[in-house]
Amino acid sequence: MKSRRWFAHSFARMIAPVTLLALAAAGTASAGELRATVRNVKPNQGKVMIALFDSAEAQAAKAPRAGYFAAAVGTELVAVFPDLPAGRYGLIAFQDLDNDGELATGLFGIPAEPHGFSRSARGSFGPPKFDDYAVPVGASGVVTTEIRLVE
């Protein structure tokens, strides 16, 4: 229940300040790129918000490395996170249908707006663990993942 409360009450507030960030290479000669295809978007309804985490600790601290916001124009969109150092990254997304900047919740804090995780991971009795949705990104090249939004 605690993890469900975290997801429902904190997700939008933790990524709201991190809009459309482009990550700097920070002096490295090569860096990887993570591309996420978000599927099951309800077209022309609000926006899609995505938070990029580089560890379970960052997720627990509600400290995303980057965020991505885009208008929900079609049924899917591609979010690109360039210049990532080698490591494991996880993405959490939701579609803000009512444009209030927060994830709407229903009974018991269960999300009432479409939401999803990289690797289309799903949790039971709350959000999945970071290891379940983390994606390895190398020092160079492009890695792809899918986020399937569910209600």
Side-chain angles (χ1 to χ4, degrees):
M1 184 67 165
K2 183 177 181 182
S3 60
R4 184 178 302 152
R5 257 182 279 156
W6 169 84
F7 182 79
H9 294 103
S10 302
F11 179 77
R13 277 182 246 124
M14 91 180 130
I15 67 168
V18 194
T19 60
L20 296 174
L21 285 179
L23 301 174
T28 57
S30 63
E33 179 175 286
L34 178 58
R35 291 184 188 178
T37 301
V38 182
R39 302 193 192 284
N40 292 340
V41 175
K42 293 183 178 195
N44 304 313
Q45 296 183 48
K47 60 187 169 274
V48 175
M49 301 177 162
I50 306 170
L52 173 80
F53 294 97
D54 57 10
S55 67
E57 294 77 23
Q59 177 190 336
K62 302 172 189 154
R65 180 179 177 91
Y68 184 95
F69 291 32
V73 178
T75 58
E76 65 181 52
L77 64 88
V78 176
V80 179
F81 295 91
D83 302 320
L84 296 173
R88 293 175 16 143
Y89 298 92
L91 300 168
I92 302 176
F94 82 97
Q95 185 171 357
D96 187 13
L97 297 174
D98 57 10
N99 278 318
D100 68 354
E102 295 185 15
L103 176 64
T105 58
L107 190 62
F108 304 114
I110 296 171
E113 292 178 306
H115 60 283
F117 299 84
S118 45
R119 297 177 49 198
S120 292
R122 298 189 66 182
S124 57
F125 303 108
K129 294 181 172 124
F130 181 79
D131 289 339
D132 296 334
Y133 69 92
V135 178
V137 175
S140 63
V142 176
V143 176
T144 61
T145 188
E146 179 178 280
I147 301 172
R148 187 167 298 278
L149 298 180
V150 296
E151 284 189 77

